[in-house]
Amino acid sequence: MSETNPAAAEVAAPHRYTAAVAAEIEARWQDFWDAEGTYAAPNPKGDLAGDPELAAKPKKFIMDMFPYPSGAGLHVGHPLGYIATDVFARFQRMTGHNVLHTLGFDAFGLPAEQYAVQTGTHPRVSTEANIENMKVQLRRLGLGHDKRRSFATIDPDYYKWTQWIFLQIFNSWYDDEAKKARPIAELVAQFESGERAVPGHTRAWSELSAGERADVLGGYRLAYASDAPVNWCPGLGTVLANEEVTAEGRSERGNFPVFKAKLRQWNMRITAYADRLLDDLNELDWPEAIKLQQRNWIGRSEGARVDFPVDGERITVFTTRPDTLFGASYMVLAPEHPLVDKFTPDAWPEGTHDVWTGGHATPAAAVAAYRAQAASKSDVERQAEAKDKTGVFIGSYATNPVNGEQVPVFIADYVLMGYGTGAIMAVPCGDQRDFEFARAFELPITCIVEPTDGRGTDTSTWEDAFASYDAKIINSTAEGISLDGLGVAEAKARITEWLERSGVGEGTVNFRLRDWLFSRQRYWGEPFPIVYDEDGIAHPLPESMLPLELPEVEDYSPRTFDPDDADTEPETPLSRNEDWVNVTLDLGDGPKRYRRETNTMPNWAGSCWYELRYLDPHNSEQLVDPEIEQYWMGPREGQPHGGVDLYVGGAEHAVLHLLYARFWSKVLFDLGHVSSAEPFHKLFNQGMIQAYVYRDSRGIAVPAAEVEEHDGAYYYQGEKVSRLLGKMGKSLKNAVTPDEICAEYGADTLRLYEMAMGPLDVSRPWDTRAVVGQFRLLQRLWRNVVDESTGAVTVVDAEPDEDTLRALHKAIDGVRGDLEGMRFNTAIAKVTELNNHLTKAGGAVPRTVAESLVLMVAPLAPHIAEELWRKLGRDGSVVHQDFPVADPAYVVDETVTCVVQIKGKVKARLEVSPAISEEELEKVALSDEKVVAALDGAGIRKVIVRAPKLVNIVPA
């Protein structure tokens, strides 16, 4: 009756748990939590200080990755991580912790700006509207956030401190001896005193011009502007960081072509921290896959720096195989290498190979044409194993320092400025790309390792390179140095020592990591707190002038171009606001005219430090109060670098956000602003909720909700469509909103379903039809406490029977362990098992059992738990109640079944204590009537006992 006729069921059971009842309960308790400040986590001091007893408890700082407030709103895939952290946070509160759990909004960035360009709506207007909509959707889920701590990165009170941190980085340098950042003023003092020589100058610091000093300091600052190769995307009208360019050489957002260009941009010297970013991963509780991605991105490799002289100057290469120097028969520079112009002569040297010239009359013409060709390729395309190798001789020769041979210098697109020095020594006998290039350009191939595959040392017969780390070195002897007969490791050590002794190189470490491009030619981002004087020298704004707020502009869009037109340059929206750009300021030496920086910071800036703002969100005098930061994030046992206790988010942020945030934390730590050298101690990557995508014959997605299934095939409006499991999203027409599920079943059901779908770190398909299973669980829970006809509480003040006690305490023990380990799906299974036990047992549920069950459910389904807790006559909120503790005596089974075998055949089954000893079990087995009968007086040769479950008797 109740399943097939809901209307009749409501008449017969007016107090049944229905979607309408759930909605009323959930709205009421959400209001209660807000009014009572239930989730307010007290700081040890300051404006958010509260209950000292709660603040004295062990702390837990639990965070979700910043959401971006999209205009499309949430679908059911978005809250997966938010619900998980909420369940975990609630469990931690119930196990005696002061829990900080809140959520802000990462609100600068491209989507709002693009919407503004399309509609004329100011980005702030659309973004704030999206935030309010998202807050409504999140509130409906019953998330236990401390709302006093929430903010958006677009709040001037927030980005004041983003700008302040930028200035700390700008005003710092990395001291390689101290292995830490130090104020730039200390470096200036060293130059002034003569303690440190001024690089690139023979004059004293006091004799340098202001511009010369600025250039010197720019070579040290952790935030610096430079003319450098960048990823220029004409279709977006902005430059992009390497991490924002896809493997196909296109923009991650918009899928436009990306080209190499040279522009003056702001950079962060993250490379200074490469070793520390690598080493400190060891102490973090992160998934190994994420650590591996970070290690690969940082890309540490040991080798040697080698100088190849050219016309009184030098080309420096980095190589991991200095032992192969004798095999270097040519060199290659990246096409954009700054030395190319310097070493390109007016005419080809006499005897230049025709194949080296590319058919051009002069080296300059050849270089210019090849550079244009290379600029149209992405880094990935340039490094692809293309069949045809391309390049051009620049017209100069370098000297191999180990044997004095003259080697031609080429440019080729397979060498990048982004790795090493942008130059390589080519050893074609041991590297396949070098081998193919040498064959294409008729260059010599010298064999310097003894092949172990029988091919011999005559390279003219080789079909490919021979790369080996266990072969012996040959043909590698010159005056003062011989590597012949050595293995690779020994040869590396000997040649490195020779390079250092000869002054032509040294052992060194290289990193794949490049400095972080920190400029964007956009409007909707944090303005740089930098102005330029009439000589173009950059000056930081004083703290008193922060925040530097975004001005109003009529046109939000950067100037975009034909996506395929590489010969274009950025024009920023801010540059059109003359009154804002050109200003008179007094920076301490009287009023002067300045020009503001018209680039803005990338959208990553605000998310590099937001965990710190959650701690002390209203502090207008400091980034964060040191005592508060120490309380929530300081180092402690098991967390030597400090940081957030749990950080949950998608694995797609493995490199960009996490690496950038770690860098900012380390700079702030070095400068003494924070006690935590790492932002996030424990990281957990949740899986993805997927959904089926249905496409018609044109490949266009059709509304999933309107697709019908017939005989295993799928149809939309009578037309057969394909089905494939993929992402959920509005554009794919398969999005299900949490509002829909909440309206049909309630938020607690949605929470339970998302947590029950499978392990949290595994992606899983959404199935709306399966949601009802969790709704029925809550209905059975409700029925075990409330009479559906009268609304009366049905529990009794009676002792539970033995079976129920065992079921209860096993559930408590299992659920506690599962919640601690974030195994929410198995925790729900154990709650379901106990609930079903009570239902099958029949009769009224003992009060102690009902209360424990409600407390176990509370982290997972908080609204119904609050309601039932109150109906059970308990005061206050369930949020801060103690989580039940299992009695060990009831967790262990009272008896287990022991199998007794004779000659491998089962002769008896005994019910014994799980704690029975082997000696006692042997006695019990041998005295059993069935065993005695089966032996029939035969002697016993051996008894094998595996207590408590097996006894194996071997007759004589």
Side-chain angles (χ1 to χ4, degrees):
M1 172 188 67
S2 61
E3 301 296 338
T4 58
N5 191 341
E10 287 187 27
V11 173
H15 296 279
R16 191 182 193 194
Y17 183 80
T18 62
V21 170
E24 187 276 326
I25 290 172
E26 289 165 2
R28 177 158 41 81
W29 281 106
Q30 288 160 18
D31 290 343
F32 174 88
W33 294 330
D34 286 349
E36 296 295 317
T38 301
Y39 303 109
N43 278 345
K45 60 181 292 192
D47 69 313
L48 297 186
D51 181 359
E53 189 175 330
L54 181 54
K57 291 182 175 183
K59 64 87 188 180
K60 285 288 182 183
F61 184 6
I62 297 166
M63 266 182 65
D64 302 278
M65 287 189 183
F66 242 175
Y68 189 87
S70 164
L74 298 177
H75 60 63
V76 291
H78 291 125
L80 178 67
Y82 306 149
I83 295 171
T85 53
D86 186 62
V87 173
F88 189 72
R90 289 174 181 279
F91 174 71
Q92 293 298 324
R93 289 190 192 94
M94 297 178 75
T95 52
H97 294 86
N98 182 22
V99 177
L100 193 167
H101 188 214
T102 190
L103 195 70
F105 300 91
D106 189 13
F108 274 127
L110 198 55
E113 187 174 279
Q114 289 177 322
Y115 185 75
V117 171
Q118 294 165 6
T119 65
T121 306
H122 193 284
R124 178 173 291 280
V125 173
S126 59
T127 301
E128 289 180 346
N130 293 344
I131 289 173
E132 289 309 309
N133 180 54
M134 191 170 180
K135 282 181 177 179
V136 170
Q137 288 188 293
L138 292 173
R139 184 180 190 270
R140 194 169 184 181
L141 298 174
L143 303 178
H145 293 151
D146 184 347
K147 296 179 181 178
R148 307 169 304 162
R149 298 175 183 267
S150 185
F151 54 79
T153 54
I154 58 175
D155 299 339
D157 287 345
Y158 179 83
Y159 70 73
K160 165 188 174 178
W161 295 104
T162 307
Q163 293 171 335
W164 181 88
I165 295 172
F166 173 84
L167 292 178
Q168 308 313 301
I169 300 173
F170 174 76
N171 285 319
S172 302
W173 63 292
Y174 196 81
D175 186 339
D176 286 320
E177 293 182 5
K179 302 295 183 187
K180 61 179 290 187
R182 295 172 59 185
I184 201 77
E186 295 179 11
L187 179 64
V188 172
Q190 291 181 10
F191 288 145
E192 288 176 338
S193 68
E195 176 187 347
R196 181 184 292 265
V198 181
H201 293 275
T202 56
R203 291 171 290 152
W205 182 257
S206 59
E207 297 172 351
L208 300 184
S209 68
E212 288 173 325
R213 292 181 186 180
D215 287 342
V216 170
L217 294 180
Y220 288 86
R221 293 186 188 274
L222 288 177
Y224 64 96
S226 69
D227 293 318
V230 296
N231 301 307
W232 165 235
C233 181
L236 288 176
T238 189
V239 299
L240 302 171
N242 290 337
E243 297 87 343
E244 295 172 307
V245 181
T246 68
E248 291 73 35
R250 304 178 77 84
S251 62
E252 191 175 51
R253 187 173 295 277
N255 198 37
F256 292 111
V258 175
F259 304 93
K260 286 294 182 186
K262 184 171 282 190
L263 298 169
R264 191 160 187 81
Q265 302 290 313
W266 282 98
N267 298 272
M268 292 278 180
R269 206 178 301 274
I270 191 173
T271 49
Y273 283 82
D275 268 322
R276 284 171 60 184
L277 289 168
L278 199 59
D279 294 343
D280 289 354
L281 282 170
N282 297 329
E283 302 293 342
L284 299 181
D285 185 3
W286 286 18
E288 282 303 317
I290 301 297
K291 288 184 178 183
L292 180 62
Q293 287 185 65
Q294 292 234 335
R295 290 187 181 110
N296 289 342
W297 192 262
I298 295 167
R300 187 181 193 275
S301 54
E302 295 184 6
R305 173 186 61 76
V306 185
D307 295 333
F308 283 69
V310 181
D311 297 333
E313 298 195 48
R314 66 188 181 191
I315 296 173
T316 300
V317 303
F318 169 81
T319 176
T320 59
R321 293 291 305 272
D323 55 300
T324 64
L325 255 170
F326 283 91
S329 55
Y330 66 98
M331 297 189 74
V332 182
L333 301 179
E336 50 277 279
H337 198 294
L339 291 179
V340 172
D341 292 331
K342 181 177 288 189
F343 294 146
T344 301
D346 294 332
W348 294 115
E350 187 176 346
T352 296
H353 235 310
D354 288 343
V355 73
W356 294 3
T357 68
H360 295 277
T362 65
V367 166
Y370 191 79
R371 277 177 160 171
Q373 175 186 328
S376 66
K377 295 182 181 180
S378 71
D379 287 357
V380 174
E381 289 173 317
R382 285 171 56 171
Q383 290 198 298
E385 297 294 336
K387 184 177 180 181
D388 298 323
K389 295 301 175 187
T390 64
V392 69
F393 178 47
I394 69 170
S396 289
Y397 288 83
T399 303
N400 188 327
V402 77
N403 57 17
E405 291 185 2
Q406 295 295 289
V407 295
V409 181
F410 286 76
I411 57 173
D413 58 13
Y414 75 91
V415 176
L416 307 176
M417 274 306 294
Y419 182 76
T421 63
I424 67 162
M425 61 177 213
V427 183
C429 80
D431 181 273
Q432 187 61 28
R433 289 182 305 177
D434 293 350
F435 180 89
E436 292 170 0
F437 190 96
R439 280 277 198 265
F441 288 87
E442 301 176 17
L443 290 157
I445 300 175
T446 304
C447 179
I448 48 87
V449 293
E450 192 172 75
T452 55
D453 59 359
R455 68 173 65 190
T457 59
D458 181 2
T459 60
S460 66
T461 65
W462 288 12
E463 295 182 2
D464 56 10
F466 177 76
S468 175
Y469 283 87
D470 55 10
K472 296 294 184 184
I473 304 295
I474 60 173
N475 297 330
S476 297
T477 296
E479 186 177 348
I481 178 69
S482 177
L483 306 180
D484 290 346
L486 300 180
V488 170
E490 190 178 356
K492 279 185 177 182
R494 182 174 295 185
I495 192 66
T496 300
E497 186 274 333
W498 181 87
L499 289 169
E500 293 175 348
R501 189 174 70 245
S502 304
V504 291
E506 62 179 351
T508 188
V509 173
N510 193 56
F511 294 92
R512 178 178 180 268
L513 181 67
R514 298 295 91 196
D515 281 347
W516 172 16
L517 179 68
F518 200 71
S519 292
R520 296 294 182 274
Q521 292 67 49
R522 315 296 313 191
Y523 167 71
W524 194 231
E526 298 91 339
F528 282 92
I530 294 289
V531 293
Y532 299 91
D533 63 23
E534 292 178 348
D535 295 322
I537 298 172
H539 297 266
L541 292 180
E543 186 177 333
S544 60
M545 292 186 180
L546 302 182
L548 173 60
E549 296 195 32
L550 266 178
E552 296 294 323
V553 297
E554 292 183 4
D555 183 1
Y556 309 115
S557 59
R559 184 181 176 193
T560 57
F561 303 89
D562 180 333
D564 296 308
D565 187 354
D567 297 325
T568 49
E569 289 190 4
E571 178 187 294
T572 61
L574 290 180
S575 65
R576 304 182 196 123
N577 190 327
E578 291 289 334
D579 292 339
W580 184 83
V581 173
N582 299 299
V583 290
T584 299
L585 301 173
D586 186 349
L587 301 184
D589 53 357
K592 292 183 179 178
R593 293 290 290 170
Y594 294 96
R595 176 178 54 83
R596 296 195 192 278
E597 172 63 71
T598 61
N599 286 317
T600 53
M601 298 185 198
N603 61 301
W604 308 106
S607 60
C608 276
W609 71 281
Y610 70 119
E611 71 283 354
L612 296 172
R613 193 61 176 173
Y614 283 152
L615 309 181
D616 197 10
H618 311 133
N619 196 332
S620 60
E621 303 301 320
Q622 291 175 288
L623 178 75
V624 60
D625 183 284
E627 186 179 335
I628 294 173
E629 187 272 337
Q630 172 72 42
Y631 173 84
W632 288 110
M633 290 186 62
R636 60 205 64 219
E637 186 176 353
Q639 299 183 18
H641 300 302
V644 173
D645 295 291
L646 176 66
Y647 192 40
V648 175
E652 65 271 17
H653 296 292
V655 173
L656 292 84
H657 160 59
L658 291 173
L659 201 60
Y660 297 157
R662 295 182 65 213
F663 166 58
W664 277 36
S665 283
K666 292 185 183 304
V667 177
L668 292 170
F669 172 78
D670 287 354
L671 298 177
H673 299 300
V674 297
S675 67
S676 49
E678 286 282 346
F680 315 114
H681 172 70
K682 180 178 177 64
L683 175 69
F684 189 98
N685 297 129
Q686 84 274 15
M688 182 187 298
I689 290 183
Q690 299 171 305
Y692 286 108
V693 183
Y694 299 89
R695 298 184 184 275
D696 62 20
S697 58
R698 301 166 297 169
I700 297 174
V702 302
E706 299 175 29
V707 171
E708 297 179 351
E709 180 182 358
H710 299 294
D711 299 324
Y714 302 92
Y715 298 87
Y716 172 68
Q717 295 181 347
E719 179 192 350
K720 193 172 183 179
V721 294
S722 65
R723 184 180 82 155
L724 189 67
L725 193 62
K727 289 184 176 181
M728 181 180 286
K730 189 176 180 180
S731 63
L732 297 174
K733 299 183 181 179
N734 62 354
V736 178
T737 70
D739 303 28
E740 297 172 51
I741 304 302
C742 289
E744 189 166 357
Y745 299 107
D748 280 340
T749 295
L750 173 62
R751 290 169 60 101
L752 280 176
Y753 176 66
E754 294 215 358
M755 293 300 95
M757 291 172 74
L760 184 61
D761 58 350
V762 175
S763 293
R764 71 294 302 269
W766 176 268
D767 183 0
T768 299
R769 295 169 299 180
V771 177
V772 70
Q774 299 306 317
F775 184 56
R776 288 172 182 154
L777 166 62
L778 294 180
Q779 288 182 316
R780 286 192 293 271
L781 170 65
W782 183 268
R783 278 197 298 270
N784 279 326
V785 178
V786 178
D787 186 299
E788 292 184 338
S789 299
T790 66
V793 172
T794 59
V795 300
V796 292
D797 293 318
E799 287 297 314
D801 60 39
E802 187 82 4
D803 285 347
T804 298
L805 276 174
R806 291 195 178 280
L808 171 65
H809 288 280
K810 280 187 176 182
I812 292 172
D813 181 64
V815 171
R816 178 182 275 266
D818 286 343
L819 293 181
E820 183 65 52
M822 299 180 71
R823 298 182 296 272
F824 304 129
N825 59 319
T826 54
I828 292 170
K830 292 177 175 70
V831 166
T832 303
E833 187 177 348
L834 174 61
N835 201 44
N836 290 344
H837 169 88
L838 298 175
T839 301
K840 290 175 183 176
V845 176
R847 175 177 292 277
T848 54
V849 178
E851 290 184 353
S852 294
L853 178 56
V854 167
L855 291 173
M856 278 188 277
V857 167
L860 295 153
H863 307 92
I864 194 172
E866 290 277 27
E867 187 71 9
L868 292 176
W869 188 250
R870 186 62 60 90
K871 285 183 178 295
L872 286 165
R874 305 302 295 263
D875 293 330
S877 169
V878 76
V879 169
H880 293 287
Q881 300 300 318
D882 291 337
F883 198 85
V885 177
D887 183 338
Y890 292 107
V891 172
V892 179
D893 287 331
E894 186 177 15
T895 63
V896 295
T897 300
C898 174
V899 173
V900 182
Q901 294 179 335
I902 299 176
K903 292 184 178 180
K905 294 183 178 180
V906 177
K907 296 300 181 181
R909 287 183 170 84
L910 312 175
E911 294 300 314
V912 299
S913 166
I916 194 170
S917 67
E918 291 191 353
E919 294 79 5
E920 182 65 24
L921 183 57
E922 181 177 340
K923 289 179 183 178
V924 171
L926 292 177
S927 62
D928 182 79
E929 291 180 3
K930 293 180 179 178
V931 173
V932 171
L935 286 171
D936 193 23
I940 299 173
R941 183 157 58 92
K942 183 189 294 185
V943 179
I944 302 167
V945 182
R946 298 286 183 267
K949 294 188 175 182
L950 176 68
V951 176
N952 195 2
I953 301 171
V954 182

